Amino acid sequence: MRSAMLEALGLSTEDAATAVPVKPVVWTSEEWVAYFEHNATNLMPIPWGAGAGATREELAEIIESLRAWQLGETSDGTRLTRAAERHAAQTYDPAYVEAIKRFIAEEQRHGEMLGRFLDLAGVPRKGRDWGDSIFRLFRHLRLRMEVWTTVVVMVEVHAMLYYAAVRRATGSAVLRRICHQILRDEVPHLRFQCERLAIIHRNRGRALRALTMGVQRVLFAGVTVAIWAGHRRALRAGGLTFRRFWGGAWAQMGKAWRAMDPRGYTWPTGRAN
């Protein structure tokens, strides 16, 4: 990913060591499609043959949380695709729809990996969860790409903390590798979504951007509390107290806010976005 980003900036790895720091260039949707295609063929091997490999005590702490999180990763993406189609038509960016479909496919792959682990552990997959229902309802209130993308960024920021905690909470080689793969995928996912928000916010005045950030901060606080309420047992098993979880979530979201700030990018004349 790093080398591809350097290439997008016209720098070699050697140049990066001596170059004057420059603002990154937002990737085109075509570049993101190419990234997702490449990533789909370069996945980490998972030792499924080893079985679940988790102790009864480990499962008691994390399994209900995993069942709920697995459900959240399995959306069919119909509404998100519809929102992307509208956004792509408005921004004259048809490749964005394909990029979103590839993103959805990666999230579904995460859900399937977690589901396969549940199968190995002899635990039924969950069909309904209150937390997942609330997030889906919120996203469905407005079929706007900005709303969808903002919620996705917030959930994925928490996912970084969540999967790191689950990986620490288990000795299962399978589950640890699944968490590692998901964490590896989430870093570019966050950049993909934050770049899109930077594009959306680019032509907003300072006052409107400040208002947007204020609303997002209130929403993020609510999301953080809701995720802790629903998953605190698993998070604690991974070594997170509420204070550490709260602090870590805001630190990660701070990085996301910087990544969605249009002032943090170079906007070349003639760029499609």
Side-chain angles (χ1 to χ4, degrees), residues 12-243:
S12 68
T13 305
E14 292 75 16
D15 292 335
T18 57
V20 175
V22 295
K23 295 179 179 180
V25 178
V26 171
W27 281 16
T28 65
S29 294
E30 289 84 357
E31 287 172 319
W32 278 111
V33 171
Y35 161 75
F36 286 123
E37 288 178 346
H38 174 78
N39 195 50
T41 60
N42 289 272
L43 303 178
M44 301 173 66
I46 297 177
W48 297 110
T55 67
R56 184 176 301 177
E57 291 75 19
E58 288 174 1
L59 291 178
E61 298 298 316
I62 65 176
I63 202 64
E64 287 304 312
S65 175
L66 276 179
R67 292 178 71 215
W69 208 280
Q70 188 272 335
L71 177 63
E73 299 273 19
T74 58
S75 171
D76 64 9
T78 300
R79 288 178 177 268
L80 178 54
T81 301
R82 196 182 310 161
E85 289 170 346
R86 288 182 56 188
H87 179 77
Q90 293 166 355
T91 56
Y92 307 100
D93 185 13
Y96 181 64
V97 178
E98 183 60 27
I100 281 292
K101 288 180 178 179
R102 302 280 178 153
F103 164 76
I104 292 169
E106 286 208 352
E107 294 293 334
Q108 291 172 337
R109 171 166 53 77
H110 296 170
E112 184 52 38
M113 288 190 299
L114 291 171
R116 190 170 174 183
F117 172 78
L118 294 175
D119 297 342
L120 285 176
V123 177
R125 304 186 190 194
K126 205 164 192 175
R128 196 172 191 82
D129 178 72
W130 69 266
D132 179 65
S133 297
I134 290 174
F135 282 117
R136 288 176 192 256
L137 176 63
F138 182 84
R139 294 196 304 263
H140 295 173
L141 290 176
R142 295 290 299 275
L143 198 62
R144 289 183 56 204
M145 205 64 226
E146 181 178 359
V147 176
W148 278 95
T149 308
T150 299
V151 174
V152 167
V153 167
M154 292 182 181
V155 172
E156 291 192 331
V157 161
H158 290 93
M160 297 289 290
L161 296 170
Y162 176 79
Y163 286 113
V166 170
R167 187 171 61 176
R168 291 192 298 267
T170 182
S172 165
V174 170
L175 185 54
R176 287 176 61 84
R177 185 63 61 83
I178 289 171
C179 290
H180 192 172
Q181 177 66 63
I182 294 175
L183 287 166
R184 195 174 75 166
D185 291 340
E186 293 293 4
V187 173
H189 283 189
L190 278 167
R191 171 168 173 169
F192 172 57
Q193 303 296 355
C194 288
E195 282 187 353
R196 183 53 47 172
L197 287 170
I199 293 169
I200 293 171
H201 297 163
R202 183 184 176 191
N203 295 318
R204 290 186 179 173
R206 181 179 300 178
L208 185 53
R209 284 205 306 268
L211 177 61
T212 300
M213 290 300 103
V215 172
Q216 286 191 11
R217 287 178 182 276
V218 173
L219 176 60
F220 185 73
V223 170
T224 303
V225 171
I227 290 178
W228 175 262
H231 301 278
R232 60 186 179 276
R233 189 173 181 182
L235 292 167
R236 283 172 175 157
L240 292 179
T241 61
F242 176 73
R243 182 175 180 178

